[in-house]
Amino acid sequence: MPNLKRALGCLLATCVVLLTWAVSPAYAFDNPELLPDVETPIIDLADTLTSIQEQQLIANLDQLEAETGYKLRVLTQFDRTPGRAVKEFWHLDDKSVLLIADSRGGNLLGFNVGDAVYNLMPRTFWIELQTRYGNQFFVRDNGEDQSILQSLESVETCLRQGGCQVVPGLPREQWILTLITSALGGIVCGFAAQPRDGKVFAWQWALIFSPLWGILFIAFGIGPVVTRTSDWLPLARNILAFAIGALAAYLTPIINHSASDAT
């Protein structure tokens, strides 16, 4: 009986080890054997980029380093990674940015940023960059390759112009959000300015509510647009949305009063 229990215990332990080995990815934290034999700014272990994309990207990264002195390096991985060995391979320093693309996490992109680069682009920039291009919806609609290429394009643009506080460009989803907040700000302003106490325009109430509609319109409606794009069209649309919302809210009691008088 003891021998049977011992045999069952050994069998169970063996099964656990085999299952663990079968489902665990071959992940190495420091595996220089995965590094290429030649110097290259891209290590595409996950085969995310096509050969043409990789060649064009290598040329862009080399040109950027020659012009600005900043290094951009790309590592894609899935079940294999060289880990910390890339630091010595690429001689990463304070003027380096390492993009790590790994589809096993909730967000495809990760960034290892040098201190000198943080002086040009703060941590909030990298959080926004990761959120915009690395989220699962963007990757699903555009592909992992475009997630990498477009995020690097934003970084290159900012390094060439001496830094950025926010990620350049205004995605349609973000613009729609600014449009909605602009309209809401107009509604609040128009509601506050409705005729009261015999006054055609209650500017005192509009002034009292100005922190609310000002935040909605200026901080959330105008600010994200002017800091991310020089295109005047989304700005004009947001201003128009504010005006329409304010006018609609302001005229609502007048229209209702006229309708009740007519009946």
Side-chain angles (χ1 to χ4, degrees), residues 1-241:
M1 192 68 176
N3 293 333
L4 179 60
K5 290 182 178 180
R6 189 178 299 110
L8 290 175
C10 293
L11 180 61
L12 180 61
T14 303
C15 292
V16 170
V17 171
L18 290 175
L19 288 174
T20 304
W21 174 83
V23 300
S24 298
Y27 186 89
F29 290 98
D30 193 0
N31 190 357
E33 296 178 357
L34 296 175
L35 297 174
D37 297 329
V38 295
E39 180 72 20
T40 175
I42 301 174
I43 301 177
D44 189 12
L45 297 177
D47 294 328
T48 304
L49 303 173
T50 65
S51 58
I52 296 177
Q53 288 175 329
E54 187 169 344
Q55 292 174 4
Q56 293 176 343
L57 185 56
I58 289 175
N60 292 340
L61 298 183
D62 289 342
Q63 183 179 1
L64 176 71
E65 186 174 357
E67 293 177 357
T68 65
Y70 290 97
K71 295 181 184 178
L72 288 185
R73 298 295 183 261
V74 180
L75 170 64
T76 71
Q77 59 189 27
F78 180 69
D79 59 346
R80 300 177 302 160
T81 175
R84 293 188 297 266
V86 297
K87 184 175 183 180
E88 295 183 2
F89 177 76
W90 278 323
H91 306 290
L92 300 178
D93 52 23
D94 290 344
K95 300 185 69 175
S96 302
V97 176
L98 172 60
L99 183 153
I100 303 174
D102 192 332
S103 59
R104 292 174 296 181
N107 192 293
L108 175 68
L109 301 179
F111 297 93
N112 192 326
V113 184
D115 292 338
V117 183
Y118 272 131
N119 295 330
L120 302 179
M121 291 168 280
R123 294 183 184 274
T124 52
F125 171 91
W126 301 100
I127 294 174
E128 181 182 353
L129 185 69
Q130 182 185 35
T131 304
R132 179 184 298 185
Y133 294 114
N135 70 81
Q136 58 182 340
F137 302 105
F138 183 92
V139 174
R140 181 193 62 192
D141 296 338
N142 300 275
E144 294 183 1
D145 57 339
Q146 289 302 315
S147 175
I148 295 172
L149 295 175
Q150 293 189 36
S151 62
L152 287 175
E153 183 179 356
S154 296
V155 176
E156 291 180 34
T157 300
C158 290
L159 288 176
R160 283 195 167 94
Q161 68 184 26
C164 295
Q165 294 299 311
V166 295
V167 179
L170 186 66
R172 179 175 178 81
E173 296 80 7
Q174 188 173 12
W175 170 71
I176 291 176
L177 181 60
T178 64
L179 183 70
I180 294 173
T181 57
S182 297
L184 289 175
I187 292 173
V188 173
C189 180
F191 175 80
Q194 288 177 353
R196 291 181 178 87
D197 301 329
K199 295 182 179 179
V200 177
F201 186 86
W203 62 269
Q204 298 94 336
W205 284 99
L207 188 62
I208 291 174
F209 280 89
S210 61
L212 179 56
W213 62 259
I215 290 176
L216 289 171
F217 177 52
I218 299 175
F220 296 149
I222 299 299
V225 176
V226 298
T227 56
R228 288 168 173 81
T229 180
S230 58
D231 188 2
W232 61 270
L233 187 58
L235 178 62
R237 288 174 174 173
N238 285 9
I239 295 175
L240 183 61

